[in-house]
Amino acid sequence: MSNMKPLPLPLLDPAPGEAGAAPCCPPLTERPFTVEEARTAARMFKALGDPVRLRLFSAVASHAGGEACVCDISDVGVSQPTVSHHLKKLREAGLLTSERRGTWVYYRVEPSVLATMGRLLAAT
Amino acid sequence: MSNMKPLPLPLLDPAPGEAGAAPCCPPLTERPFTVEEARTAARMFKALGDPVRLRLFSAVASHAGGEACVCDISDVGVSQPTVSHHLKKLREAGLLTSERRGTWVYYRVEPSVLATMGRLLAAT
DNA sequence: CGTCTATGTTGACACTCATCGATACAAGCG
DNA sequence: CGCTTGTATCGATGAGTGTCAACATAGACG
C-alpha cells in the first residue's frame, strides 16, 4: 500500500528479509553442528524440502544460459500465485536471485549455493 | 544370552512407512526434475530442514565409530520425546537407521545417503 | 516378582505452510 | 490514455509440524 519508493525494483531487490547464502558450515560429518550452524543450514535444506520448489530450483539450475524466465518454468502443476510464492521462498533462503528485464523476470541460482551445500554433504 | 533377537523389533526395523534412500535422481543441474524425482529428493531435504534434526544428524554422522547412542546426542535443547520424534523422522526419511542393543538404541547414517545427496548438488 | 533407566508413543496445542482466487503492480503496445 | 500480458501480493483455509507432559514399553538387575 504505502509503497512510495521511487526506486525501480521494489519487489526484486535481495534487500531485507532475504537470507543470503553465507559460506556456512563444515561438512555434516566433521563435528556436531552448533545451534547457529544448524539454523543457517536448515534454512537452505528446508527451502529444497518441497517438491514444487525442488522442481523450480532444478528447472532454473538446469536451464540454458544459467537463468530462466518465470514463464519458462511455471508448468509445475500449481497456480501462478503459488509458483510466485515458492520462488520467493527460494529467494529468501538465498538459493535464487531474480532480476526483472522488461516484461519478464529471470531467476538464476545464487552462485555459491551448490558449492556450499555440496560441502555440507562431503564425506570425510 | 537371550539377546539373540528371535523376535522382530517392531519399532526399529526399517519396514513399513520408512522410505529407504533410493539411489535417486541426477544432479539438480542436469535437467528439470520430474514429479517423482522431486518427491523423493524433497523428502530427504525436508528431513534435514529442521535445526534440531540437522544437529541430531550431524551428531550421529560425526560420532566416533559411525554410530551414536541416543544418550550421546540428546543434548539439543528439546525434551526427550521431541528428540525421539525427530529421530523417527530421520529414520522414516531413510537418513538414519537404528538398532537396539541392550538398554540403549544406536543410530547410524544410512550408508548411501551422503553420496546420494552429494550427487544431487554436484556441479556439472 | 518389582524397580530403575532408556527410549518410544499418544494426545493436545500452537504454530507454520502450501494452496488458491482475487487483486494489485509493472511493462509494453495500440 | 486504455488494453493486454507477466508477475507479485493479499486474505482465507485446510493440512501439516514442532513441542511438551503423560504414559507405555523394553531391557537390566536384584
Side-chain angles (χ1 to χ4, degrees):
Chain A
M1 349 183 249
S2 59
N3 209 345
M4 311 191 49
K5 341 178 136 177
L7 298 173
L9 299 175
L11 304 174
L12 300 174
D13 283 346
E18 317 245 328
C24 103
C25 308
L28 279 164
T29 56
E30 192 172 301
R31 54 168 173 73
F33 266 27
T34 67
V35 173
E36 198 58 34
E37 288 167 344
R39 228 169 21 124
T40 304
R43 207 179 301 140
M44 297 190 291
F45 282 119
K46 187 175 185 177
L48 296 181
D50 179 273
V52 172
R53 280 199 293 273
L54 202 50
R55 292 185 69 196
L56 289 170
F57 184 86
S58 174
V60 172
S62 64
H63 204 267
E67 66 180 10
C69 171
V70 175
C71 57
D72 292 327
I73 60 177
S74 294
D75 189 22
V76 288
V78 295
S79 69
Q80 177 269 320
T82 302
V83 169
S84 191
H85 166 74
H86 284 305
L87 289 172
K88 183 180 185 178
K89 287 294 196 78
L90 289 166
R91 261 188 294 133
E92 290 174 344
L95 303 187
L96 294 181
T97 58
S98 66
E99 181 196 359
R100 164 157 246 144
R101 287 207 297 275
T103 305
W104 297 279
V105 177
Y106 293 85
Y107 281 77
R108 37 177 69 242
V109 175
E110 170 69 32
S112 61
V113 161
L114 289 176
T116 296
M117 296 195 72
R119 203 170 92 92
L120 284 178
L121 298 163
T124 45
Chain B
M1 287 302 291
S2 57
N3 219 352
M4 298 299 291
K5 186 183 159 198
L7 300 174
L9 299 173
L11 304 176
L12 300 176
D13 284 348
E18 317 245 329
C24 103
C25 310
L28 279 164
T29 57
E30 193 172 300
R31 55 168 172 73
F33 266 28
T34 66
V35 174
E36 198 57 34
E37 288 166 346
R39 227 169 21 125
T40 303
R43 207 179 301 140
M44 297 190 291
F45 282 119
K46 188 176 187 178
L48 296 181
D50 178 272
V52 173
R53 280 198 294 272
L54 202 50
R55 292 186 69 198
L56 289 171
F57 184 86
S58 174
V60 172
S62 64
H63 203 268
E67 65 179 12
C69 170
V70 175
C71 57
D72 292 328
I73 59 178
S74 294
D75 189 23
V76 288
V78 295
S79 69
Q80 176 269 321
T82 302
V83 169
S84 192
H85 166 74
H86 283 304
L87 288 173
K88 182 181 185 179
K89 287 293 197 77
L90 288 167
R91 262 187 294 131
E92 290 174 345
L95 303 186
L96 295 181
T97 59
S98 66
E99 180 195 1
R100 166 157 244 146
R101 288 205 296 274
T103 305
W104 296 278
V105 176
Y106 293 86
Y107 281 77
R108 37 175 70 243
V109 175
E110 170 69 32
S112 61
V113 160
L114 289 176
T116 297
M117 296 194 72
R119 204 170 91 90
L120 284 178
L121 298 163
T124 47

